[in-house]
Amino acid sequence: MTRKLWFQIGIGLLITLLIIKYFMEIYHIFDPIIIIFKTIMIPLLLGGVLYYITEPLQRILEKRGMPRWGSLSTIVLLLAGVLTTVFLLIGTPIANQVNRLVDNAPNIASQIEQAINYVLENREILPPQVEEFVTSITSSIQNIAITSSRYFVNFVSGAVSVTFTLILVPFFFIFMLKDHEKFAPQIYDIFSGSTRSWIKKTLEDIDKVLRSYVQGQVLVSFLLATMMLIGYLIIQLEYSLLLAVFAFFMNMIPFIVSPNSKNKRT
């Protein structure tokens, strides 16, 4: 009987379920590893983004005969100069707009509250579609308030993590610029034959897709933020620069899917 296929499949499923059961009971012992992994992954991703943005410049400099240390030093100095210039040009205006926004926050909140109270008081005379929309907006505001308070606490408690990230991002960025040709060979050289060729081709395709995506996304985000800033300035919208910078960073994340949206579609 032990040679029967159904018996072997049943034993395999039973062992798998037992492994899952006992793993779920002790999964908390892996929390430190998960925390370390998350702490390293964010700086690694940011360093990778900076690498893909500056890698074309490094390629151009080295094609003209500049050594690796020279191209690396040039890129780091140029990046530091660009960040310093951008900070000096838009740092003060953004800080002023943030201060004005903070000062006007009570007035803005009061106006929003008055508008919401007006709509709620006249809900009976509104069309059914508008009433449903108001109800959904009200529940969304409550969820946003609860979520925002939780995120605020996490933000305050994560100050050390942010500092750690700011230290690791330049480290990963410089490391990638210096030795990026060595990453893929260290992986596919472990294998041989057709497997090695397939892994090498796959890594090259992944690198090409990531490079195109990051560079294209940054370019699109910059152009979009520039056009939004021009439009905001034309209509003399307050906090125009702050909103344009916010749009630039938000457009770097093309899809934000909340768990509630999946439930609503189902």
Side-chain angles (χ1 to χ4, degrees), residues 220-241:
V220 170
S221 300
F222 176 77
L223 294 177
L224 177 64
T226 302
M227 290 187 293
M228 293 180 68
L229 177 61
I230 295 174
Y232 291 157
L233 292 176
I234 291 175
I235 64 176
Q236 297 181 352
L237 180 67
E238 198 172 5
Y239 317 118
S240 56
L241 183 59

Side-chain angles (χ1 to χ4, degrees), residues 50 70 83 116 148 163-165 200 211 214 259:
L50 290 176
L83 293 177
I116 293 175
S148 300
T163 304
F164 191 65
T165 300
K200 181 180 179 181
R211 180 184 291 106
V214 172

Side-chain angles (χ1 to χ4, degrees), residues 20 27 29 33 42 94 128 143 158 164 181 185 235 241 255:
I20 295 175
Y27 74 95
I29 67 175
I33 299 176
I42 294 177
I94 288 180
N143 294 332
F164 191 65
E181 296 97 342
I235 64 176
L241 183 59
F255 302 106

